[in-house]
Amino acid sequence: MDFHTRVIFYLFFLSSLLCLQVRAEDAGSVFFIDSSTRQFLRTRSSNDVVAPDSMLLSEVGAAVSVLLGLAPPPTLSASGSSKLNEVLMPNPFDRPRAVFMLEVRGTDPKLVVNSDNAMFSTAFKRKVTFGSEKAANIQLPDENEVSVFSLDEPFTDYTNKEIGVFASWMGGSYVANSLEPLDGELTIPLADGSIVNLHMSKKADREFTANLLSLIHNFRRAVELHEDLVQSTPAELITGCFDGIKALEERYGSDGFPKHGMGLLLATLSKMFDSFQEAYKGQMVGVVFFYGSPPAQSGKVLNTIFTSQPSARWLVEKEASYNVTVLQVVLVRRTIAWLTGIILLISTLLGVHFLVNMPLTRDTLLYSNVKLD
């Protein structure tokens, strides 16, 4: 009896570990959204019956680097290169060099897969597994070559006017409360016929709306900044993280109203990406990553870092050694020039001296008829 109990306990323990491993590996889904006027991503054929392989965080970061026109990191494996080849077009000279990358945390990726949003239903989708990676870094060469704009700056000074402008932009309406500030009702219809009602008097609804307003506010700042950088910076990366869905799930649960909140977020992202496409003239690709609980509770899972540059001391030493070399070359050239000039001057003086002191007699050799036998 003890033996059978132990066997059952071990089997239960192993099954629990396998379930936990599966849950840890199925981290989320990433959507690659192609340009509306250009093709930078491959199109998956409807005849493909083999499920595509999932991607690691580092492979998603490598795909972003390639889309920016940069070389993939040297640590990318052969299988990772094969996955990138399945997603990206093979022409290395035709890259958008502008990427809109957003992380949506605390949500079920199935809500996106099963949505009726036109942009995300036609996007290139891949599952993402964390594996042993808690985060991945997107290595960028220099701030002068790649401009990075963050969409994470909070926008806390919004008023009823900003909410009304957002509602009009989304084709909805906002009825403000004349007695209390920021206590109205936001109503926005979705493409599937459903209507999202957000009451600013509720904490979860207000927090979700504040996250959307911050995202829209920073998005408009990014478009304005692009007009200034279009002639100076060859590549641009616009990155951010959205946590608003998590507030709705904590208040209402995973079913019901959070689905409408996800529909509103997807509709907002669609309008944002269309505006980006217009501002960038089609030279942009979107990378939106949806996942539930990240392995690290703080910070993003896709970070951008610039490669280390030489320190100021190294630059001074390099400049000093360069100046010493230049001075040596100049000294040698000036010495040779002065010596050549002195030799030519002495030769000229000697020639003039011998010509002046030359005797005025007929040269017998010059004026005689010499016959050579």
Side-chain angles (χ1 to χ4, degrees):
M1 189 69 178
D2 293 339
F3 175 77
H4 292 294
T5 304
R6 274 187 243 166
V7 171
I8 295 174
F9 175 77
Y10 288 144
L11 290 176
F12 177 78
F13 180 74
L14 290 176
S15 61
S16 301
L17 288 179
L18 291 175
C19 291
L20 289 175
Q21 184 178 2
V22 170
R23 292 181 59 187
E25 289 181 353
D26 294 338
S29 298
V30 61
F31 291 79
F32 294 91
I33 307 170
D34 206 350
S35 170
S36 57
T37 59
R38 304 284 298 276
Q39 184 178 2
F40 300 106
L41 306 175
R42 293 183 182 271
T43 55
R44 181 170 172 80
S45 175
S46 58
N47 298 326
D48 295 341
V49 295
V50 180
D53 296 332
S54 59
M55 301 181 68
L56 298 175
L57 288 174
S58 57
E59 295 167 352
V60 176
V64 173
S65 298
V66 174
L67 289 171
L68 290 173
L70 306 174
T75 56
L76 185 66
S77 62
S79 61
S81 301
S82 177
K83 294 177 185 178
L84 263 61
N85 188 48
E86 295 175 357
V87 177
L88 308 177
M89 292 294 290
N91 187 0
F93 303 102
D94 188 16
R95 301 300 183 196
R97 304 189 70 83
V99 176
F100 166 55
M101 184 179 68
L102 183 70
E103 297 182 20
V104 182
R105 298 192 296 188
T107 183
D108 187 0
K110 294 179 181 178
L111 296 177
V112 189
V113 176
N114 300 328
S115 67
D116 297 329
N117 186 275
M119 186 178 73
F120 285 90
S121 61
T122 57
F124 201 103
K125 181 179 71 71
R126 281 289 187 271
K127 288 185 178 180
V128 179
T129 57
F130 287 138
S132 60
E133 297 177 325
K134 294 185 178 181
N137 294 326
I138 303 174
Q139 297 183 1
L140 306 177
D142 186 66
E143 294 182 358
N144 296 326
E145 299 182 17
V146 181
S147 172
V148 179
F149 185 87
S150 177
L151 301 174
D152 297 333
E153 183 178 352
F155 180 52
T156 57
D157 298 333
Y158 62 92
T159 61
N160 288 328
K161 180 181 178 180
E162 279 79 14
I163 302 178
V165 170
F166 169 68
S168 301
W169 189 56
M170 295 299 298
S173 61
Y174 177 68
V175 180
N177 190 347
S178 58
L179 300 178
E180 294 290 337
L182 302 177
D183 195 22
E185 181 180 358
L186 177 63
T187 303
I188 298 178
L190 300 180
D192 59 356
S194 60
I195 297 177
V196 180
N197 293 318
L198 296 171
H199 301 272
M200 298 301 102
S201 58
K202 299 179 180 180
K203 181 180 178 181
D205 294 14
R206 186 170 62 251
E207 184 177 349
F208 175 74
T209 305
N211 278 269
L212 279 179
L213 292 176
S214 298
L215 187 63
I216 295 299
H217 176 72
N218 294 320
F219 144 73
R220 289 171 178 162
R221 290 178 56 242
V223 173
E224 295 176 357
L225 182 63
H226 168 68
E227 298 176 357
D228 300 331
L229 296 177
V230 66
Q231 299 296 335
S232 59
T233 306
E236 297 180 42
L237 175 62
I238 302 172
T239 178
C241 186
F242 186 83
D243 294 329
I245 298 295
K246 185 178 180 180
L248 295 179
E249 290 185 349
E250 292 176 354
R251 172 63 179 83
Y252 300 102
S254 58
D255 296 331
F257 188 74
K259 293 183 179 179
H260 296 289
M262 177 61 73
L264 177 57
L265 174 62
L266 298 182
T268 304
L269 294 179
S270 298
K271 291 187 69 67
M272 286 175 53
F273 192 72
D274 291 341
S275 300
F276 273 134
Q277 289 290 313
E278 182 179 356
Y280 284 78
K281 296 180 174 55
Q283 292 290 124
M284 173 175 273
V285 168
V287 180
V288 186
F289 183 25
F290 297 88
Y291 58 90
S293 300
Q297 296 299 325
S298 60
K300 295 189 291 187
V301 297
L302 290 174
N303 303 301
T304 57
I305 60 172
F306 291 95
T307 55
S308 59
Q309 299 295 325
S311 64
R313 181 178 179 182
W314 290 351
L315 290 175
V316 170
E317 292 177 353
K318 184 177 180 180
E319 184 178 359
S321 61
Y322 175 78
N323 292 335
V324 170
T325 304
V326 171
L327 291 176
Q328 292 175 352
V329 172
V330 171
L331 179 61
V332 171
R333 289 180 178 178
R334 287 183 178 179
T335 303
I336 295 175
W338 275 102
L339 290 176
T340 305
I342 292 172
I343 292 173
L344 290 176
L345 180 61
I346 294 174
S347 302
T348 303
L349 293 176
L350 289 175
V352 171
H353 171 72
F354 287 120
L355 286 174
V356 171
N357 297 323
M358 184 175 169
L360 297 177
T361 58
R362 296 180 63 180
D363 191 349
T364 56
L365 182 62
L366 180 61
Y367 293 101
S368 63
N369 295 326
V370 178
K371 296 181 179 180
L372 299 176
D373 296 337

